[in-house]
Amino acid sequence: DGGITQSPKYLFRKEGQNVTLSCEQNLNHDAMYWYRQDPGQGLRLIYYSQIVNDFQKGDIAEGYSVSREKKESFPLTVTSAQKNPTAFYLCASNIGLGNQPQHFGDGTRLSIL
Amino acid sequence: GQQVMQIPQYQHVQEGEDFTTYCNSSTTLSNIQWYKQRPGGHPVFLIQLVKSGEVKKQKRLTFQFGEAKKNSSLHITATQTTDVGTYFCAGHEGAQKLVFGQGTRLTINP
């Protein structure tokens, strides 16, 4: 079955540590997105990529980094510069043409130790 | 930048009652999308509205897009326990960036 796989489901970060969240899709979608969800808030865009080897900052990119070396993969690194990383992180993708619906992975819940 | 406001933030109803959530944008939208997120789950696309004044129905769900394309609503008739979750509207800023409302969390008393 086609879909988006995020791993791990739960992740714990120590102070000063970088962690990487995985996002893989087999939908053959060109565009991929990372969102952060906090309780009582909507989804906020961290980074997005419309094509391999290209990505743009979203609304809350500070303290995060991404890469897009392969069409299927869009990993997100939460760096030590992100002072409040505890949140639910969602990866999404779409075909990238116009305003197409986004398909979401199951998410990764990141907590601070 | 574009802002999308959604009200109410929470709504608790008795099973069988109707439910409505409203979405307002600070700018004119090219389209609006609605998503549902079940507790512990991820957002799932429900529908997209594109035309001014458009109304679409999915069984007990009715979606409307305002004439000025700056507001939208989702109405559920005779709620069921399977309707529990958070409903998000989202509008596009440019061709790719989707701006989400804060969501309306619906809980239902069976």
Side-chain angles (χ1 to χ4, degrees), chain B residues 25-92:
Chain B
S25 171
S26 58
T27 59
T28 301
L29 300 169
S30 56
N31 64 52
I32 194 154
Q33 297 177 358
W34 285 91
Y35 292 79
K36 177 183 178 181
Q37 184 176 24
R38 294 182 184 273
H42 59 271
V44 174
F45 173 76
L46 293 176
I47 206 162
Q48 177 169 279
L49 304 173
V50 178
K51 299 177 183 177
S52 170
E54 188 170 14
V55 178
K56 286 189 176 180
K57 292 190 176 183
Q58 289 181 348
K59 297 182 180 179
R60 294 177 295 102
L61 278 62
T62 301
F63 303 84
Q64 292 188 323
F65 200 11
E67 293 291 340
K69 301 184 74 173
K70 294 182 73 173
N71 59 75
S72 181
S73 65
L74 158 59
H75 179 81
I76 302 178
T77 303
T79 54
Q80 299 175 359
T81 55
T82 53
D83 296 326
V84 164
T86 301
Y87 293 85
F88 293 98
C89 62
H92 271 93

Side-chain angles (χ1 to χ4, degrees), chain B residues 5-11 19-24 34 89 102-104:
Chain B
M5 306 299 293
Q6 200 172 342
I7 57 170
Q9 189 173 1
Y10 303 97
Q11 184 78 57
F19 159 77
T20 304
T21 174
Y22 301 90
C23 184
N24 290 285
W34 285 91
C89 62
Q102 304 96 314
T104 296

